[in-house]
Amino acid sequence: MRKDLCLICYMIFSFMCCFPTAKAHKINQKNNVIEEQADIELSLDPIPDLTIETIRSELYSIDSLCRKGLIVLVFTSTKCPVTNQYTQRLNRMNKNYTNASVIGVYSNHEDTVQVIAKHVKEIGILFHTVKDFDGKLANQLGATMTPQAFVIDQNRIIRYRGPVDDNRYANRVREKYLQNAIDQLLSDQEITVSQADSFGCTIHLPEETAHTITYARHIAPIIQRNCQSCHRSGQVAPFPLMTYEDAKTWSTEMVSYTQSHLMPLWKPEPGYGDFKQTRRMWDWEVDKITEWVKSGMSYGNEADLPVLRSFDNSWFLGEPDLLVEMPEPYDVPADGEDEYRHFIIPTNFDQDMYVQAIDIEPGNRKTVHHVIVYLDTTGKARELDAADPKPGYARFGGTGFDAQWLGGWAPGVTPNLLPEGTGALLPRGADIVLQIHYYKTGRIKQDLSRAGLYFSKAADPKRVYVDAAINTEFQIPTGAAKYQVKATWTEEEDVYAITVAPHMHLIGTDMKVDATFPDGRQQEMIWIKDWDFNWQDAYQYKIPIFMPASTVVKAVGHFDNSAANSLNPNNPPKPIGWGEKTTDEMFIAFLGIIRAKDFTPEATSTSHSGDLDEPLPRHAAAHPRQKV
């Protein structure tokens, strides 16, 4: 009884001090808390395509989420005792509905990012949570209470507004308003109750003020989601961007490179292929950085900082299922020609395994140019190793055996999980062979590279194959500034294209890859307009591309073998053809494919039930969307 009286006092105080609008309220006798009487007519117009931001700086578009299913926004609070009583109910709802995403929204001004993060952990919230900075989302939807739920359909129309159910005590619930609304929408039925009186605590929106752009509130989240995967210790970027001092130190570079869209590095032309993990800043993000630097680089309130990304683990995808490492360190000579060296690592699996992802960690980035992981089932690689007195064996122009390609690394490669239920085949008893391309630096360098393998957990995984549109029969004349090379690939059965990976060497300038279907339709696959040998990747499609039998994939690219090309390895220029050396050239469009008979893609490649899938793509927008 004492607790209930304290709670009533808290609610009355909250109502009197923090809720300035003239909404009609009363005490809900069933729950002993404030209740707002529902008197708002739900609009049939779509809500704006807002962008929401998680406490870990990830951005999600309301429109993109709606296209995947229903959105259930539940306004919540760290201090309202009623909201905590709904945690497990919402956790179960998030788990049970495969076509609805439950998202907790914190709009109260006192709920800072750090406070929210602590609250999420302590009470065990398993659904996604976002911070409603400046109360924009609450104002847009008309949210006034916590907990208060909004169901938004695939047309961005609010279909339900009100409480989760009729009782904060789970064992006393009689009316499951939110669950009923979701069930009826998913069953294409009329919603019997589209709104009801919300009870709990009032939302305390921040006062309207002139907002100064600060590092803590605006710049740290931008850097965290766009830059820190590379700009940190031990990674490919030349300087860190982990702290406020780092951002101040490199502020001129940040402005220059982001305004010119040279950073973040993302080579595919926007709109030419729809890829996962796109790395491009929104125009409004670039503008924020510029405005922050011009206005004096204010630090701001530390409480506004996002939850820091954890880089304690060097593996991008977390701890691998299998760690494979060179058997011993290798000393790379100080000078001489580039070297291709192969290191053999036995596996001891008693069955075939399917690799859903591979992450390669070069031991010494100053000398490792790239790494390719091959598989040997013939025993030939061991023979070649035994005949070479140094660790592994040297071979230029191939592996020396009938190799199966498993994965690779070069600067720019981002590890990515293949779609659920698929993987690259690792045959039982196969040897893993790390082929490492070393270039000489003028000093002896030691390397101990390794790779992390992530296996498919499916009961019956389906195999992803690697094929390619490739041309090995070209010769680029001396002085040719825009020499064209073409390659084609045709599949004899129905397949899905999962990934695409263009590959050229130093004087390549661009490559465009398209598919022509048997009925004449064209599919744009990827276009790299400014090829960079030092920044390559394998790009995974958000939705695998279906290619009927007889589909033709065509790659068209150009090379600059003129004296004006500063990247030309020959001075004066000389004819260049196909070859394994860096100073030779290649022309390949690798394709990751899977037989259509083995695979039915989900709407969004690797999304899990109830997950938001990957964050909003960072392509440049002509008109920045409203940020929440």
Side-chain angles (χ1 to χ4, degrees), residues 11 14 23 36 95 156 179-180 216 226 265 271 289 303 366 368 371 376 408 422 436 476 481 515 616:
M11 293 299 149
S14 172
K23 295 288 182 183
E36 177 198 271
K95 179 181 178 181
R156 301 204 314 268
Q179 181 177 321
N180 291 341
N226 289 287
L265 271 170
I289 292 174
K366 288 182 168 55
V368 174
V371 181
D376 179 24
T422 73
I436 304 182
I476 307 167
L616 187 71

Side-chain angles (χ1 to χ4, degrees), residues 94-273:
N94 182 62
K95 179 181 178 181
N96 293 336
Y97 285 106
T98 59
N99 294 320
S101 298
V102 177
I103 304 172
V105 182
Y106 292 83
S107 296
N108 287 340
H109 65 79
E110 70 268 21
D111 286 338
T112 66
V113 168
Q114 304 303 323
V115 170
I116 294 170
K118 182 179 179 182
H119 180 253
V120 167
K121 183 177 180 180
E122 286 183 347
I123 70 170
I125 292 177
L126 301 180
F127 45 91
H128 287 271
T129 55
V130 300
K131 169 62 177 172
D132 181 16
F133 292 99
D134 305 322
K136 288 190 175 73
L137 188 56
N139 280 324
Q140 183 66 54
L141 300 184
T144 57
M145 303 285 291
T146 62
Q148 187 173 52
F150 291 76
V151 178
I152 303 171
D153 69 13
Q154 291 179 302
N155 296 315
R156 301 204 314 268
I157 296 174
I158 299 173
R159 304 299 300 277
Y160 173 78
R161 176 190 187 274
V164 175
D165 51 43
D166 68 339
N167 206 302
R168 60 193 178 106
Y169 299 105
N171 61 339
R172 301 179 189 175
V173 171
R174 295 294 180 267
E175 296 289 343
K176 298 181 179 181
Y177 299 117
L178 178 58
Q179 181 177 321
N180 291 341
I182 295 172
D183 289 340
Q184 289 164 352
L185 278 173
L186 293 177
S187 301
D188 293 324
Q189 300 175 7
E190 288 294 324
I191 299 177
T192 53
V193 178
S194 60
Q195 63 174 316
D197 297 343
S198 299
F199 58 86
C201 311
T202 56
I203 291 178
H204 320 142
L205 296 179
E207 294 181 5
E208 298 237 359
T209 56
H211 293 293
T212 301
I213 297 176
T214 68
Y215 172 81
R217 167 63 194 97
H218 304 97
I219 305 305
I222 295 173
I223 293 175
Q224 184 164 291
R225 62 178 164 260
N226 289 287
C227 311
Q228 289 182 353
S229 58
C230 292
H231 283 270
R232 57 189 173 90
S233 177
Q235 294 302 308
V236 67
F239 54 82
L241 285 174
M242 300 298 294
T243 67
Y244 170 65
E245 291 301 325
D246 291 339
K248 283 186 64 178
T249 300
W250 298 101
S251 59
T252 301
E253 283 79 0
M254 284 200 302
V255 170
S256 298
Y257 285 111
T258 57
Q259 285 185 343
S260 62
H261 293 294
L262 291 175
M263 287 289 165
L265 271 170
W266 179 254
K267 289 299 181 178
E269 182 68 10
Y272 215 93

Side-chain angles (χ1 to χ4, degrees), residues 338-590:
D338 286 9
E339 183 176 1
Y340 277 70
R341 197 141 198 103
H342 303 72
F343 303 94
I344 293 84
I345 305 164
T347 64
N348 300 306
F349 296 110
D350 58 4
Q351 63 181 15
D352 292 345
M353 304 294 289
Y354 288 83
V355 180
Q356 195 179 357
I358 183 168
D359 190 358
I360 298 166
E361 189 177 79
N364 191 327
R365 293 174 185 266
K366 288 182 168 55
T367 187
V368 174
H369 181 271
H370 71 257
V371 181
I372 299 178
V373 182
Y374 292 107
L375 299 174
D376 179 24
T377 58
T378 68
K380 182 64 176 177
R382 296 191 188 194
E383 295 178 12
L384 294 169
D385 188 8
D388 192 313
K390 292 184 178 181
Y393 67 92
R395 187 177 180 89
F396 205 85
T399 59
F401 60 90
D402 186 13
Q404 175 185 324
W405 187 88
L406 185 64
W409 174 88
V413 168
T414 303
N416 216 333
L417 286 168
L418 292 172
E420 291 296 329
T422 73
L425 176 64
L426 173 56
R428 177 181 62 181
D431 287 336
I432 291 176
V433 179
L434 298 183
Q435 183 196 72
I436 304 182
H437 175 186
Y438 294 113
Y439 55 88
K440 310 303 170 62
T441 64
R443 295 185 179 184
I444 296 175
K445 298 289 185 181
Q446 190 174 84
D447 177 52
L448 187 64
S449 294
R450 59 182 187 165
L453 275 59
Y454 302 81
F455 296 122
S456 172
K457 307 301 189 296
D460 182 25
K462 303 305 179 183
R463 182 177 179 182
V464 175
Y465 297 82
V466 176
D467 219 315
I470 184 171
N471 185 340
T472 62
E473 304 297 327
F474 60 87
Q475 187 81 1
I476 307 167
T478 300
K482 196 173 180 62
Y483 185 79
Q484 186 177 91
V485 175
K486 298 179 180 179
T488 60
W489 171 83
T490 305
E491 180 54 55
E492 298 179 355
E493 63 178 310
D494 295 352
V495 298
Y496 283 94
I498 307 295
T499 60
V500 62
H503 179 68
M504 297 185 286
H505 284 189
L506 292 172
I507 66 169
T509 60
D510 62 88
M511 185 189 296
K512 181 191 291 186
V513 184
D514 299 286
T516 303
F517 300 134
D519 62 4
R521 289 181 299 116
Q522 299 286 319
Q523 172 71 52
E524 299 172 342
M525 297 189 70
I526 195 169
W527 188 2
I528 308 292
K529 282 189 173 181
D530 56 340
W531 174 257
D532 185 347
F533 183 53
N534 294 308
W535 196 264
Q536 307 179 44
D537 207 346
Y539 303 95
Q540 184 178 154
Y541 295 106
K542 280 187 181 178
I543 301 177
I545 299 173
F546 176 65
M547 293 183 173
S550 300
T551 294
V552 177
V553 174
K554 181 180 179 181
V556 179
H558 297 89
F559 295 86
D560 182 358
N561 195 16
S562 69
N565 183 1
S566 61
L567 299 175
N568 199 323
N570 302 306
N571 186 19
K574 64 181 183 180
I576 299 178
W578 174 274
E580 296 285 343
K581 294 181 180 179
T582 303
T583 53
D584 296 324
E585 270 303 338
M586 289 186 176
F587 190 77
I588 313 171
F590 290 106

